[in-house]
Amino acid sequence: QKEVEQNSGPLSVPEGAIASLNCTYSDRGSQSFFWYRQYSGKSPELIMFIYSNGDKEDGRFTAQLNKASQYVSLLIRDSQPSDSATYLCAVKDNDMRFGAGTRLTVKP
Amino acid sequence: ETGVTQSPTHLIKTRGQQVTLRCSSQSGHNTVSWYQQALGQGPQFIFQYYREEENGRGNFPPRFSGLQFPNYSSELNVNALELDDSALYLCASSLAGIRLYSYNEQFFGPGTRLTVL
């Protein structure tokens, strides 16, 4: 079974710190990787996607992909209380497979 | 607001009943995917429809079925409801089949919360 694994958390960081969220996947052939944010009671919204090994930056967010290690991460710089949410890692092969999510709390 | 709407917002059914959930895609989007999200879990892919035909299916039994209409709205039907079917059901629309291109962003609707008693 193809798996996408995330630490469930909760991960707690102080305001202004860097939050680091990690994800591993089992299918070595996976090509596309996504990070979604889901606020409590809301639907997921896309933060970033990444295809190539290395880093991809968008504002305060940086996605990192290492296909050899089957590892993808999301860094959130200058974390804000509004970043408090569940972060879902997703991997696309033929279908989109999501991890269970990591709950992040940013404390003022 | 993503432009994707779902109805109803909440629904309570009893075991063995049948349910139909509805999704209206974002304007111009020809692909809809349905997901089941149990409490504390990530969304699980149920199936996808592209131009009114099923274009992929996850590990769900045949009692989960769907339709997509010419206006690209869609339905998810679940027969013989079981207690474990209690979940948030999400639809997501995109411009093209997720199987056909590397990526076209999916836009999620707000979901339907189904409770099976």
Short mmCIF file of all heavy atoms in Angstrom, two decimals, chain A residues 26-74:
data_model
loop_
_atom_site.label_atom_id
_atom_site.label_comp_id
_atom_site.label_asym_id
_atom_site.label_seq_id
_atom_site.Cartn_x
_atom_site.Cartn_y
_atom_site.Cartn_z
N SER A 26 6.01 6.49 0.46
CA SER A 26 6.56 5.15 0.23
C SER A 26 6.80 4.85 -1.25
O SER A 26 7.66 4.01 -1.57
CB SER A 26 5.61 4.09 0.81
OG SER A 26 4.36 4.15 0.16
N ASP A 27 6.08 5.51 -2.15
CA ASP A 27 6.19 5.18 -3.57
C ASP A 27 7.33 5.96 -4.21
O ASP A 27 7.21 7.17 -4.43
CB ASP A 27 4.87 5.47 -4.28
CG ASP A 27 4.88 5.04 -5.74
OD1 ASP A 27 5.89 4.46 -6.19
OD2 ASP A 27 3.88 5.28 -6.43
N ARG A 28 8.40 5.27 -4.54
CA ARG A 28 9.59 5.92 -5.08
C ARG A 28 9.31 6.58 -6.43
O ARG A 28 10.01 7.49 -6.84
CB ARG A 28 10.71 4.88 -5.21
CG ARG A 28 12.07 5.45 -5.55
CD ARG A 28 13.15 4.39 -5.40
NE ARG A 28 13.42 4.09 -4.00
CZ ARG A 28 14.21 4.82 -3.21
NH1 ARG A 28 14.79 5.91 -3.68
NH2 ARG A 28 14.42 4.47 -1.96
N GLY A 29 8.26 6.15 -7.11
CA GLY A 29 7.94 6.71 -8.41
C GLY A 29 7.10 7.98 -8.36
O GLY A 29 6.77 8.55 -9.40
N SER A 30 6.76 8.44 -7.18
CA SER A 30 5.93 9.64 -7.05
C SER A 30 6.63 10.85 -7.65
O SER A 30 7.84 11.00 -7.53
CB SER A 30 5.60 9.91 -5.57
OG SER A 30 4.87 8.84 -5.03
N GLN A 31 5.84 11.70 -8.30
CA GLN A 31 6.42 12.81 -9.06
C GLN A 31 6.05 14.19 -8.53
O GLN A 31 6.79 15.14 -8.72
CB GLN A 31 5.96 12.71 -10.52
CG GLN A 31 6.45 11.47 -11.23
CD GLN A 31 7.96 11.46 -11.38
OE1 GLN A 31 8.58 12.49 -11.65
NE2 GLN A 31 8.58 10.30 -11.16
N SER A 32 4.87 14.31 -7.92
CA SER A 32 4.35 15.63 -7.56
C SER A 32 3.95 15.63 -6.09
O SER A 32 3.32 14.69 -5.62
CB SER A 32 3.14 15.98 -8.42
OG SER A 32 3.43 15.81 -9.78
N PHE A 33 4.28 16.73 -5.43
CA PHE A 33 4.10 16.80 -3.98
C PHE A 33 3.48 18.14 -3.61
O PHE A 33 3.83 19.17 -4.19
CB PHE A 33 5.46 16.63 -3.29
CG PHE A 33 6.17 15.40 -3.76
CD1 PHE A 33 6.98 15.45 -4.88
CD2 PHE A 33 5.99 14.18 -3.12
CE1 PHE A 33 7.62 14.31 -5.35
CE2 PHE A 33 6.62 13.04 -3.58
CZ PHE A 33 7.43 13.10 -4.70
N PHE A 34 2.58 18.09 -2.65
CA PHE A 34 1.77 19.25 -2.34
C PHE A 34 1.67 19.45 -0.83
O PHE A 34 1.66 18.49 -0.06
CB PHE A 34 0.35 19.07 -2.90
CG PHE A 34 0.32 18.76 -4.37
CD1 PHE A 34 0.46 17.46 -4.81
CD2 PHE A 34 0.17 19.76 -5.30
CE1 PHE A 34 0.44 17.16 -6.16
CE2 PHE A 34 0.16 19.47 -6.65
CZ PHE A 34 0.29 18.17 -7.08
N TRP A 35 1.55 20.69 -0.45
CA TRP A 35 1.23 21.04 0.93
C TRP A 35 -0.07 21.83 0.94
O TRP A 35 -0.20 22.83 0.21
CB TRP A 35 2.34 21.86 1.58
CG TRP A 35 3.51 21.03 1.98
CD1 TRP A 35 4.69 20.88 1.31
CD2 TRP A 35 3.62 20.22 3.17
NE1 TRP A 35 5.54 20.03 2.00
CE2 TRP A 35 4.90 19.61 3.14
CE3 TRP A 35 2.78 19.94 4.25
CZ2 TRP A 35 5.35 18.75 4.15
CZ3 TRP A 35 3.22 19.09 5.23
CH2 TRP A 35 4.49 18.50 5.18
N TYR A 36 -1.01 21.35 1.76
CA TYR A 36 -2.29 22.02 1.95
C TYR A 36 -2.39 22.46 3.41
O TYR A 36 -1.87 21.82 4.31
CB TYR A 36 -3.46 21.07 1.65
CG TYR A 36 -3.72 20.82 0.18
CD1 TYR A 36 -2.97 19.87 -0.51
CD2 TYR A 36 -4.72 21.50 -0.49
CE1 TYR A 36 -3.22 19.62 -1.85
CE2 TYR A 36 -4.98 21.25 -1.83
CZ TYR A 36 -4.23 20.31 -2.50
OH TYR A 36 -4.48 20.06 -3.83
N ARG A 37 -3.12 23.52 3.61
CA ARG A 37 -3.44 23.99 4.96
C ARG A 37 -4.95 23.82 5.16
O ARG A 37 -5.75 24.13 4.27
CB ARG A 37 -3.07 25.47 5.10
CG ARG A 37 -3.43 26.11 6.44
CD ARG A 37 -2.90 27.52 6.51
NE ARG A 37 -3.46 28.37 5.46
CZ ARG A 37 -2.92 29.52 5.06
NH1 ARG A 37 -1.80 29.94 5.61
NH2 ARG A 37 -3.51 30.22 4.11
N GLN A 38 -5.32 23.32 6.32
CA GLN A 38 -6.73 23.12 6.62
C GLN A 38 -7.02 23.69 8.01
O GLN A 38 -6.56 23.15 9.02
CB GLN A 38 -7.12 21.64 6.55
CG GLN A 38 -8.61 21.40 6.70
CD GLN A 38 -8.99 19.95 6.45
OE1 GLN A 38 -8.20 19.03 6.65
NE2 GLN A 38 -10.23 19.72 6.01
N TYR A 39 -7.80 24.74 8.03
CA TYR A 39 -8.26 25.29 9.30
C TYR A 39 -9.40 24.42 9.82
O TYR A 39 -10.12 23.77 9.03
CB TYR A 39 -8.74 26.73 9.13
CG TYR A 39 -7.62 27.71 8.83
CD1 TYR A 39 -7.53 28.34 7.59
CD2 TYR A 39 -6.66 28.02 9.79
CE1 TYR A 39 -6.51 29.25 7.31
CE2 TYR A 39 -5.64 28.92 9.51
CZ TYR A 39 -5.57 29.52 8.27
OH TYR A 39 -4.56 30.41 8.00
N SER A 40 -9.56 24.42 11.12
CA SER A 40 -10.57 23.58 11.75
C SER A 40 -11.95 23.87 11.17
O SER A 40 -12.39 25.03 11.11
CB SER A 40 -10.57 23.82 13.27
OG SER A 40 -11.53 23.00 13.89
N GLY A 41 -12.61 22.82 10.71
CA GLY A 41 -13.96 22.97 10.17
C GLY A 41 -14.02 23.50 8.74
O GLY A 41 -15.10 23.71 8.21
N LYS A 42 -12.86 23.67 8.14
CA LYS A 42 -12.80 24.20 6.76
C LYS A 42 -12.22 23.16 5.82
O LYS A 42 -11.73 22.11 6.24
CB LYS A 42 -11.95 25.47 6.72
CG LYS A 42 -12.45 26.59 7.62
CD LYS A 42 -13.79 27.11 7.17
CE LYS A 42 -14.21 28.32 8.00
NZ LYS A 42 -15.54 28.81 7.59
N SER A 43 -12.25 23.45 4.54
CA SER A 43 -11.69 22.54 3.55
C SER A 43 -10.22 22.89 3.29
O SER A 43 -9.77 23.98 3.60
CB SER A 43 -12.50 22.61 2.25
OG SER A 43 -12.57 23.92 1.78
N PRO A 44 -9.46 21.94 2.75
CA PRO A 44 -8.04 22.20 2.50
C PRO A 44 -7.84 23.27 1.44
O PRO A 44 -8.61 23.38 0.50
CB PRO A 44 -7.53 20.84 1.98
CG PRO A 44 -8.53 19.84 2.43
CD PRO A 44 -9.84 20.55 2.43
N GLU A 45 -6.76 24.04 1.60
CA GLU A 45 -6.38 25.02 0.59
C GLU A 45 -4.90 24.83 0.27
O GLU A 45 -4.09 24.58 1.17
CB GLU A 45 -6.66 26.45 1.07
CG GLU A 45 -6.03 26.81 2.39
CD GLU A 45 -6.33 28.22 2.83
OE1 GLU A 45 -6.60 29.08 1.96
OE2 GLU A 45 -6.31 28.48 4.04
N LEU A 46 -4.57 24.93 -0.99
CA LEU A 46 -3.21 24.67 -1.44
C LEU A 46 -2.27 25.79 -1.00
O LEU A 46 -2.56 26.98 -1.17
CB LEU A 46 -3.18 24.56 -2.97
CG LEU A 46 -1.81 24.24 -3.57
CD1 LEU A 46 -1.40 22.82 -3.21
CD2 LEU A 46 -1.86 24.41 -5.09
N ILE A 47 -1.12 25.38 -0.42
CA ILE A 47 -0.07 26.34 -0.09
C ILE A 47 0.99 26.32 -1.18
O ILE A 47 1.37 27.35 -1.72
CB ILE A 47 0.58 26.00 1.26
CG1 ILE A 47 -0.44 26.03 2.39
CG2 ILE A 47 1.72 26.97 1.56
CD1 ILE A 47 0.13 25.53 3.70
N MET A 48 1.52 25.12 -1.45
CA MET A 48 2.61 25.01 -2.41
C MET A 48 2.61 23.64 -3.04
O MET A 48 2.11 22.68 -2.46
CB MET A 48 3.97 25.19 -1.71
CG MET A 48 4.24 26.57 -1.17
SD MET A 48 5.92 26.71 -0.59
CE MET A 48 6.81 26.66 -2.14
N PHE A 49 3.22 23.54 -4.23
CA PHE A 49 3.51 22.24 -4.81
C PHE A 49 4.95 22.25 -5.31
O PHE A 49 5.52 23.32 -5.61
CB PHE A 49 2.54 21.89 -5.93
CG PHE A 49 2.55 22.85 -7.08
CD1 PHE A 49 3.38 22.67 -8.17
CD2 PHE A 49 1.69 23.94 -7.09
CE1 PHE A 49 3.37 23.55 -9.23
CE2 PHE A 49 1.68 24.84 -8.14
CZ PHE A 49 2.52 24.64 -9.21
N ILE A 50 5.53 21.07 -5.39
CA ILE A 50 6.93 20.97 -5.79
C ILE A 50 7.11 19.69 -6.57
O ILE A 50 6.52 18.65 -6.23
CB ILE A 50 7.86 21.04 -4.55
CG1 ILE A 50 9.33 21.07 -4.97
CG2 ILE A 50 7.58 19.91 -3.57
CD1 ILE A 50 10.27 21.44 -3.82
N TYR A 51 7.91 19.75 -7.64
CA TYR A 51 8.19 18.59 -8.48
C TYR A 51 9.64 18.15 -8.41
O TYR A 51 9.95 16.97 -8.53
CB TYR A 51 7.91 18.88 -9.96
CG TYR A 51 6.51 19.30 -10.29
CD1 TYR A 51 6.28 20.22 -11.29
CD2 TYR A 51 5.42 18.76 -9.62
CE1 TYR A 51 4.99 20.60 -11.63
CE2 TYR A 51 4.13 19.14 -9.94
CZ TYR A 51 3.93 20.06 -10.95
OH TYR A 51 2.65 20.44 -11.28
N SER A 52 10.53 19.14 -8.29
CA SER A 52 11.96 18.86 -8.45
C SER A 52 12.67 18.83 -7.11
O SER A 52 12.28 19.53 -6.17
CB SER A 52 12.60 19.95 -9.33
OG SER A 52 11.94 20.03 -10.58
N ASN A 53 13.73 18.05 -7.05
CA ASN A 53 14.56 18.03 -5.84
C ASN A 53 15.07 19.42 -5.52
O ASN A 53 15.37 20.21 -6.41
CB ASN A 53 15.76 17.11 -6.04
CG ASN A 53 15.42 15.66 -5.78
OD1 ASN A 53 14.59 15.34 -4.95
ND2 ASN A 53 16.07 14.77 -6.51
N GLY A 54 15.15 19.71 -4.23
CA GLY A 54 15.66 21.00 -3.80
C GLY A 54 14.61 21.81 -3.08
O GLY A 54 13.66 21.25 -2.54
N ASP A 55 14.79 23.10 -3.07
CA ASP A 55 13.93 24.01 -2.35
C ASP A 55 13.10 24.85 -3.32
O ASP A 55 13.53 25.20 -4.41
CB ASP A 55 14.76 24.97 -1.49
CG ASP A 55 15.52 24.26 -0.39
OD1 ASP A 55 15.38 23.02 -0.27
OD2 ASP A 55 16.25 24.92 0.36
N LYS A 56 11.90 25.17 -2.85
CA LYS A 56 11.03 26.10 -3.58
C LYS A 56 10.45 27.06 -2.57
O LYS A 56 9.84 26.63 -1.59
CB LYS A 56 9.93 25.35 -4.31
CG LYS A 56 8.98 26.26 -5.08
CD LYS A 56 7.89 25.44 -5.75
CE LYS A 56 6.92 26.34 -6.51
NZ LYS A 56 5.82 25.56 -7.14
N GLU A 57 10.65 28.35 -2.81
CA GLU A 57 10.23 29.36 -1.85
C GLU A 57 9.07 30.17 -2.38
O GLU A 57 9.01 30.51 -3.57
CB GLU A 57 11.42 30.29 -1.54
CG GLU A 57 11.17 31.28 -0.44
CD GLU A 57 12.43 32.06 -0.08
OE1 GLU A 57 13.51 31.46 -0.03
OE2 GLU A 57 12.30 33.29 0.11
N ASP A 58 8.14 30.48 -1.48
CA ASP A 58 7.01 31.34 -1.83
C ASP A 58 6.66 32.14 -0.57
O ASP A 58 6.00 31.62 0.33
CB ASP A 58 5.82 30.52 -2.30
CG ASP A 58 4.65 31.39 -2.75
OD1 ASP A 58 4.76 32.63 -2.71
OD2 ASP A 58 3.61 30.83 -3.15
N GLY A 59 7.15 33.38 -0.54
CA GLY A 59 6.89 34.20 0.64
C GLY A 59 7.54 33.60 1.88
O GLY A 59 8.73 33.30 1.89
N ARG A 60 6.74 33.40 2.91
CA ARG A 60 7.27 32.83 4.16
C ARG A 60 7.38 31.31 4.11
O ARG A 60 7.88 30.70 5.06
CB ARG A 60 6.36 33.24 5.32
CG ARG A 60 6.31 34.73 5.59
CD ARG A 60 5.53 35.05 6.87
NE ARG A 60 4.12 34.68 6.77
CZ ARG A 60 3.56 33.71 7.48
NH1 ARG A 60 4.28 32.99 8.33
NH2 ARG A 60 2.27 33.46 7.36
N PHE A 61 6.94 30.70 3.03
CA PHE A 61 6.91 29.25 2.94
C PHE A 61 8.02 28.73 2.03
O PHE A 61 8.29 29.31 0.97
CB PHE A 61 5.56 28.78 2.37
CG PHE A 61 4.38 29.15 3.21
CD1 PHE A 61 3.65 30.30 2.95
CD2 PHE A 61 4.00 28.36 4.28
CE1 PHE A 61 2.56 30.65 3.72
CE2 PHE A 61 2.90 28.69 5.06
CZ PHE A 61 2.17 29.83 4.79
N THR A 62 8.67 27.65 2.47
CA THR A 62 9.66 26.96 1.65
C THR A 62 9.35 25.47 1.68
O THR A 62 9.27 24.87 2.75
CB THR A 62 11.09 27.18 2.16
OG1 THR A 62 11.41 28.58 2.10
CG2 THR A 62 12.10 26.41 1.29
N ALA A 63 9.17 24.89 0.51
CA ALA A 63 9.02 23.44 0.39
C ALA A 63 10.36 22.85 0.00
O ALA A 63 11.09 23.42 -0.82
CB ALA A 63 7.96 23.09 -0.65
N GLN A 64 10.68 21.72 0.59
CA GLN A 64 11.93 21.03 0.29
C GLN A 64 11.61 19.60 -0.10
O GLN A 64 10.83 18.93 0.57
CB GLN A 64 12.85 21.04 1.53
CG GLN A 64 13.23 22.43 1.99
CD GLN A 64 14.02 22.41 3.29
OE1 GLN A 64 13.67 21.68 4.22
NE2 GLN A 64 15.07 23.22 3.36
N LEU A 65 12.24 19.15 -1.19
CA LEU A 65 11.98 17.80 -1.69
C LEU A 65 13.30 17.05 -1.84
O LEU A 65 14.25 17.57 -2.44
CB LEU A 65 11.25 17.85 -3.03
CG LEU A 65 11.02 16.53 -3.75
CD1 LEU A 65 10.17 15.59 -2.91
CD2 LEU A 65 10.38 16.78 -5.11
N ASN A 66 13.34 15.84 -1.34
CA ASN A 66 14.48 14.94 -1.51
C ASN A 66 13.93 13.60 -1.96
O ASN A 66 13.47 12.80 -1.15
CB ASN A 66 15.26 14.81 -0.20
CG ASN A 66 16.51 13.97 -0.35
OD1 ASN A 66 16.55 13.00 -1.11
ND2 ASN A 66 17.55 14.32 0.39
N LYS A 67 13.94 13.37 -3.26
CA LYS A 67 13.35 12.14 -3.80
C LYS A 67 14.15 10.90 -3.41
O LYS A 67 13.58 9.83 -3.23
CB LYS A 67 13.22 12.24 -5.31
CG LYS A 67 12.16 13.22 -5.77
CD LYS A 67 11.97 13.18 -7.28
CE LYS A 67 10.87 14.13 -7.71
NZ LYS A 67 10.66 14.10 -9.19
N ALA A 68 15.45 11.04 -3.26
CA ALA A 68 16.27 9.88 -2.88
C ALA A 68 15.89 9.38 -1.50
O ALA A 68 15.85 8.17 -1.24
CB ALA A 68 17.75 10.25 -2.92
N SER A 69 15.57 10.31 -0.61
CA SER A 69 15.17 9.95 0.75
C SER A 69 13.66 9.84 0.88
O SER A 69 13.16 9.52 1.97
CB SER A 69 15.69 10.99 1.74
OG SER A 69 17.10 11.06 1.70
N GLN A 70 12.92 10.14 -0.20
CA GLN A 70 11.46 10.07 -0.20
C GLN A 70 10.89 10.92 0.92
O GLN A 70 10.09 10.45 1.75
CB GLN A 70 11.00 8.60 -0.12
CG GLN A 70 11.43 7.82 -1.34
CD GLN A 70 11.12 6.34 -1.22
OE1 GLN A 70 12.01 5.49 -1.32
NE2 GLN A 70 9.87 6.02 -1.01
N TYR A 71 11.31 12.17 0.90
CA TYR A 71 11.05 13.09 2.00
C TYR A 71 10.70 14.45 1.43
O TYR A 71 11.37 14.94 0.52
CB TYR A 71 12.33 13.16 2.84
CG TYR A 71 12.36 14.13 3.96
CD1 TYR A 71 11.95 13.77 5.24
CD2 TYR A 71 12.83 15.43 3.78
CE1 TYR A 71 12.01 14.65 6.29
CE2 TYR A 71 12.88 16.33 4.82
CZ TYR A 71 12.48 15.93 6.08
OH TYR A 71 12.53 16.82 7.12
N VAL A 72 9.65 15.05 1.98
CA VAL A 72 9.28 16.40 1.59
C VAL A 72 8.94 17.17 2.87
O VAL A 72 8.36 16.60 3.80
CB VAL A 72 8.12 16.40 0.58
CG1 VAL A 72 6.89 15.71 1.12
CG2 VAL A 72 7.78 17.80 0.13
N SER A 73 9.36 18.41 2.92
CA SER A 73 9.12 19.20 4.12
C SER A 73 8.59 20.58 3.75
O SER A 73 8.68 21.02 2.60
CB SER A 73 10.39 19.33 4.95
OG SER A 73 11.36 20.09 4.24
N LEU A 74 8.02 21.23 4.75
CA LEU A 74 7.53 22.60 4.60
C LEU A 74 8.06 23.41 5.77
O LEU A 74 7.88 23.02 6.92
CB LEU A 74 6.00 22.65 4.60
CG LEU A 74 5.38 24.03 4.47
CD1 LEU A 74 5.60 24.58 3.06
CD2 LEU A 74 3.88 23.98 4.79
#
